[in-house]
Amino acid sequence: MEQSHPIRSAVDKVVGAVTGDGGPAEIPGVPNSAPPSLEEPTEPREPLPPKPDQSGPDTFSPTGQPTGAPQAKVAQDGAYLTTAQGLRLRDTDHSLKAGPRGPVLLQDHHLREKVMHFDHERIPERVVHARGAGAHGVFRGYGAASNITKAAFLGKDVETPVFVRFSTVIGSRGSADTVRDTRGFATKFYTSEGVFDLVGNNMPVFFIQDAIKFPDVIHAAKWHPDREIPQAQTAHDTFWDFAGLHTEATFHTLWNMSDRGIPRSYRMMEGFGVHTFRLVDAEGATTLVKFHWKPKLGVHSLVWEEAQLLGGVDPDFHRRDLADAIEAGAHPQWELGIQVFPDTPEQTFEGIDLLDSTKIVPEELAPVQRIGLLTLNANPANFFAETEQVAFHVGHLVPGIDVTDDPLLAGRLFSYLDTQITRLAGPNFAQIPINRPHAPVNDMLRDGFHQTAVHRGVAPYRPNSLDGGCPFTAGAAERAYVEVPLEVSGRKVREAPASYADHFSQARLFWLSMSPVEREHIIAAYTFELGKCYEQAVKERYLGVLANIDSVLCRQVAEGLGLPAPAASQPLADSPPSPALSQIGQTWPADGRIIGIVAGDGNGNGDGDVAALGAVRQAVLDGGLVPLIIAPTGGKLGGTLPVQRSFVTARSVEFDALLVAGAPAPGKDAYGARDAKAAGGADAPVDPRVLLLIAEVYRHGKPLGGWGTASQAFSEAGVPAQAPGVLLGDDGTSVLRETLELLGTHRVWDRFPAAASLT
Ligand code: HEM
């Protein structure tokens, strides 16, 4: 039987539901599960169902019991507007007044309830990781870790529902997605033994070794307290002031300055648990591990100019990308992996301190072993209820997974619950639907703000006889959580171990592991960020840090800053590179990538013929990618082919590759007073907005294909026809084939070779 492609069939399904006309599939992003009528609806009707890609949290009671209630029944219900008490209302547009021009009456309970609730719609944002996006999914264990952990959810073919939230660290809730920053990667597993949270990042190391420094690093990285600028970035004096003085941040800062700081998509990021955890098997034997998430689509990044443009053009780029991919059926996947180390008294591996979260263990020394598969398959039905109210905590553990004495982890074990009391207004946030366990809860915790469970009995204390002794404690046989009984001893001191003093050797290892083009990006990032600092002392001090990583890096950044390059203050430690740290050199699936297809007006105005365009569009869909047709105006080309972007709305940064079907003449609105991108273009041979698209795609290293008269457009845009990744052919489908091959490597890296000093 012929298998239809998941993207196609999902898109067709969505569009079938929406248009009902069996017409050509649209792109993801449809606002609701049925199209609006032109006229305002007047017939009462029940709320629309969610879109097929959306799901709320599973319906469990506040105490972890499956309720069996359909998700629709915990949402708004009924055809008529009511108060919060269920009272039907006749009017919600006018306050109750003494006559049409008279004063408003205090007795207007509806006005008071409506405004009171609105007044309290906002809640405090997270103190860090405020900006994020979430999705539902499922985790399937491979059973490969069952020899070292008794955790039930890691058993073979055990399926566990999950909720994942990705985030940036520094910016406010409304900040842009594509800023240079670490990304959070937090996963809530609703296991049969209680909730397990893996609260990680897309970088395997952290700025600090001890949680007591967390307020310092965050105060330094966030905005200046006097002006509250800049937003969501480290390119300012306080961050580099701190990072230059507190050199244990060197390695994490280097990750941030690398391409990892500007991911192409949440779907294309690795995730790391960062700390070392302790796994425990059924006999009590222990193993140390580090958790990794490996994306099926590979690790890919934006280039810096794209990231900056996107901050203005589409600040929601990453959350849109995630939601669109899920809606289109291109469900993102990661494999969970572990690096495994013997649990020795020193807690080191090959000389690397496993309790120091500023250090990695290179994958070449300890390969990542795959133990399960995560698939994100549904978008939240309500952002606030789910993504905003979800509360992760590193202390949410299950039998078989224990913590280590990493002092960074210890502080986190305190911090998450503490902050959530304020953020979620009281101690009962575990009862919010997205946080509810899928295992029975009998906790003796009582009352407090927003208590939604209706507890019975009279004896929430132990021991008791009045409630028959319930609840009872469990033994290991009943799968109780039992901490590993480790010996603890030592002097009471405020000190770090000697091994924590090495701040540079792994930063150098990372630098040496980068390809030339990745090194160029790192040099540019440091030069940009330090170049935005005001104080010369801050820049000079940081150049001293860079000198301890690598002399070429230091010299190149110093050159950009117009400052002398200092010498290293200590010998540089050379270790063999770790190829696993580089993002370049492999090929990956291009599923869900976005291809822009530039057409003319459908009347032969520089666009080839509409049937041929339709065939290319179809081939893109069949390949599991998302085509966006770009034409001078909206509407349908030739009355059949839907246009998704006009020359006014399109910007190159939305696309992973661009196909150009000819050389479209200037649109009717191509004059600068209307659209600055079109300045001087009314009489040009090709629309200037199209030339801008081509030029940007070219300099961002993306595949660029064309047919028909496209060569004319390329040459007008200053793109050499022979340049790497510029594909000119006779017809769209053959050009598309070559484009897809190139997309497997993400970008055309050899279009702009790195400087000789870096190769
Ligand atoms: C390895 C180091 C760390 C990692 C990987 C990490 C990761 C994360 C992530 C992913 C989130 C966002 C969770 C979400 O999406 O809701 C988060 C939030 C947070 N983190 Fe961390 N973090 C680290 C260190 C720390 C430390 C040392 C502290 C405090 C001492 C801390 C305090 C917080 C707080 C207060 C929040 C906000 C939680 C909330 O409001 O729900 N983190 N962290």
Side-chain angles (χ1 to χ4, degrees):
M1 197 178 90
E2 201 191 343
Q3 288 276 313
S4 61
H5 190 279
I7 289 196
R8 277 258 8 242
S9 50
V11 174
D12 283 344
K13 206 162 73 196
V14 172
V15 173
V18 172
T19 65
D21 64 1
E26 295 285 355
I27 52 156
V30 59
N32 212 338
S33 53
S37 54
L38 196 55
E39 305 299 331
E40 183 175 352
T42 50
E43 273 303 301
R45 55 153 298 158
E46 296 285 319
L48 292 170
K51 298 197 301 168
D53 61 290
Q54 293 177 332
S55 163
D58 289 329
T59 52
F60 278 73
S61 77
T63 53
Q65 302 299 319
T67 63
Q71 284 187 2
K73 292 298 165 195
V74 295
Q76 301 276 304
D77 205 9
Y80 294 100
L81 177 72
T82 72
T83 65
Q85 307 303 316
L87 176 73
R88 285 187 182 167
L89 290 164
R90 197 174 62 87
D91 180 292
T92 190
D93 302 328
H94 305 91
S95 303
L96 191 65
K97 288 178 290 197
R101 296 170 64 83
V104 173
L105 301 179
L106 187 58
Q107 79 178 70
D108 188 348
H109 61 94
H110 174 47
L111 167 72
R112 288 167 62 199
E113 183 193 66
K114 187 173 178 181
V115 175
M116 174 281 293
H117 198 277
F118 166 77
D119 289 345
H120 300 91
E121 277 178 8
R122 296 286 92 78
I123 64 169
E125 66 177 32
R126 289 168 177 80
V127 60
V128 285
H129 294 263
R131 169 90 185 164
H136 295 273
V138 64
F139 176 82
R140 182 170 55 79
Y142 292 163
S146 296
N147 55 338
I148 53 172
T149 176
K150 59 187 172 189
F153 80 101
L154 292 174
K156 186 165 171 49
D157 291 333
V158 175
E159 295 212 338
T160 304
V162 298
F163 187 78
V164 173
R165 182 173 179 272
F166 302 106
S167 50
T168 51
V169 180
I170 307 176
S172 296
R173 223 189 118 181
S175 57
D177 279 346
T178 58
V179 295
R180 182 179 290 285
D181 195 358
T182 307
R183 299 301 186 284
F185 189 144
T187 310
K188 190 176 280 297
F189 299 81
Y190 304 91
T191 90
S192 58
E193 299 176 301
V195 165
F196 170 61
D197 287 344
L198 185 54
V199 197
N201 282 339
N202 76 328
M203 298 176 188
V205 286
F206 209 62
F207 292 107
I208 51 172
Q209 295 164 325
D210 186 320
I212 199 166
K213 294 299 294 171
F214 195 65
D216 298 82
V217 64
I218 298 302
H219 290 169
K222 286 220 178 209
W223 47 74
H224 291 207
D226 52 354
R227 301 182 179 194
E228 213 183 76
I229 53 175
Q231 177 61 242
Q233 53 183 293
T234 49
H236 56 100
D237 284 89
T238 56
F239 177 75
W240 292 98
D241 180 37
F242 174 82
L245 293 168
H246 188 76
T247 51
E248 73 192 42
T250 305
F251 193 16
H252 190 165
T253 304
L254 176 52
W255 277 83
N256 276 29
M257 294 305 113
S258 79
D259 291 346
R260 305 279 180 142
I262 41 172
R264 156 65 178 82
S265 155
Y266 290 137
R267 299 178 290 134
M268 299 166 201
M269 298 190 318
E270 282 181 306
F272 303 88
V274 181
H275 313 281
T276 302
F277 289 81
R278 180 172 275 111
L279 298 190
V280 192
D281 72 10
E283 276 70 51
T286 59
T287 310
L288 298 180
V289 298
K290 281 184 180 287
F291 288 107
H292 294 244
W293 288 115
K294 294 282 185 188
K296 288 270 187 180
L297 297 178
V299 186
H300 305 296
S301 296
L302 301 168
V303 295
W304 181 228
E305 192 197 16
E306 269 182 295
Q308 289 177 297
L309 286 172
L310 279 165
V313 173
D314 187 5
D316 308 306
F317 186 68
H318 284 152
R319 55 168 69 166
R320 186 191 310 287
D321 169 273
L322 179 68
D324 280 358
I326 292 174
E327 180 182 332
H331 295 157
Q333 290 188 314
W334 289 258
E335 281 187 305
L336 182 65
I338 44 174
Q339 288 180 294
V340 179
F341 321 105
D343 191 357
T344 60
E346 304 76 40
Q347 298 175 84
T348 59
F349 184 77
E350 301 271 340
I352 299 165
D353 192 334
L354 296 174
L355 300 190
D356 176 357
S357 280
T358 65
K359 303 286 190 314
I360 58 166
V361 177
E363 291 185 29
E364 291 73 17
L365 293 182
V368 176
Q369 304 175 31
R370 318 288 166 125
I371 62 171
L373 180 68
L374 165 71
T375 305
L376 296 183
N377 55 19
N379 287 310
N382 184 279
F383 187 95
F384 181 85
E386 303 174 67
T387 310
E388 199 56 21
Q389 294 199 108
V390 68
F392 297 93
H393 174 33
V394 278
H396 291 160
L397 298 162
V398 288
I401 304 180
D402 204 344
V403 296
T404 56
D405 290 336
D406 176 345
L408 188 69
L409 182 54
R412 296 181 74 193
L413 286 164
F414 166 76
S415 179
Y416 288 77
L417 281 187
D418 183 52
T419 196
Q420 284 150 6
I421 293 174
T422 304
R423 180 164 76 82
L424 299 164
N428 286 317
F429 47 84
Q431 296 183 4
I432 295 171
I434 193 67
N435 295 324
R436 290 177 183 175
H438 294 193
V441 174
N442 194 349
D443 55 15
M444 296 198 302
L445 309 175
R446 288 294 181 271
D447 307 345
F449 285 112
H450 316 303
Q451 176 61 253
T452 53
V454 185
H455 295 305
R456 303 216 176 137
V458 294
Y461 55 85
R462 271 184 47 82
N464 77 67
S465 65
L466 290 180
D467 279 353
C470 188
F472 295 85
T473 53
E478 292 88 24
R479 308 194 72 82
Y481 188 85
V482 185
E483 286 78 9
V484 177
L486 288 175
E487 293 287 340
V488 180
S489 68
R491 291 181 308 124
K492 202 192 314 178
V493 290
R494 290 190 186 272
E495 285 175 14
S499 61
Y500 282 33
D502 167 18
H503 298 166
F504 301 113
S505 66
Q506 288 210 336
R508 179 159 179 75
L509 162 80
F510 185 90
W511 170 258
L512 294 176
S513 306
M514 292 292 105
S515 63
V517 67
E518 289 170 304
R519 290 186 192 175
E520 291 284 19
H521 293 168
I522 291 171
I523 291 168
Y526 277 117
T527 311
F528 179 90
E529 296 247 333
L530 289 165
K532 296 284 243 175
C533 291
Y534 186 87
E535 296 293 351
Q536 170 130 342
V538 168
K539 303 182 207 188
E540 283 183 11
R541 195 192 300 137
Y542 210 82
L543 286 174
V545 174
L546 295 184
N548 286 337
I549 303 176
D550 186 79
S551 60
V552 174
L553 167 66
C554 178
R555 207 171 45 244
Q556 302 274 350
V557 176
E559 213 166 76
L561 298 176
L563 292 170
S569 63
Q570 50 181 267
L572 303 187
D574 272 359
S575 45
S578 166
L581 294 172
S582 171
Q583 293 180 213
I584 294 179
Q586 298 180 51
T587 53
W588 301 95
D591 295 25
R593 293 302 189 106
I594 300 174
I595 311 272
I597 307 172
V598 176
D601 60 9
N603 296 318
N605 180 2
D607 57 6
D609 73 87
V610 171
L613 274 174
V616 173
R617 181 183 187 281
Q618 193 60 53
V620 172
L621 274 173
D622 290 344
L625 292 86
V626 179
L628 295 183
I629 300 271
I630 310 159
T633 64
K636 288 189 174 176
L637 293 181
T640 57
L641 199 58
V643 174
Q644 284 95 17
R645 296 290 184 274
S646 68
F647 290 171
V648 169
T649 61
R651 196 74 199 243
S652 71
V653 285
E654 273 189 284
F655 314 117
D656 293 291
L658 192 70
L659 301 176
V660 184
K668 293 198 179 72
D669 57 354
Y671 51 96
R674 174 86 63 93
D675 180 0
K677 298 200 299 299
D683 303 321
V686 180
D687 191 299
R689 279 100 34 116
V690 172
L691 298 183
L692 182 64
L693 281 176
I694 294 171
E696 283 182 354
V697 159
Y698 179 71
R699 70 173 183 265
H700 295 158
K702 296 173 181 172
L704 181 58
W707 58 92
T709 51
S711 57
Q712 187 200 348
F714 288 7
S715 114
E716 289 285 334
V719 169
Q722 304 306 322
V726 176
L727 310 162
L728 281 163
D730 296 334
D731 68 285
T733 33
S734 66
V735 170
L736 174 65
R737 228 184 346 268
E738 289 180 70
T739 306
L740 295 186
E741 268 171 42
L742 276 181
L743 261 182
T745 58
H746 181 52
R747 277 178 212 270
V748 185
W749 293 113
D750 46 359
R751 188 174 288 160
F752 303 110
S757 56
L758 295 174
T759 52

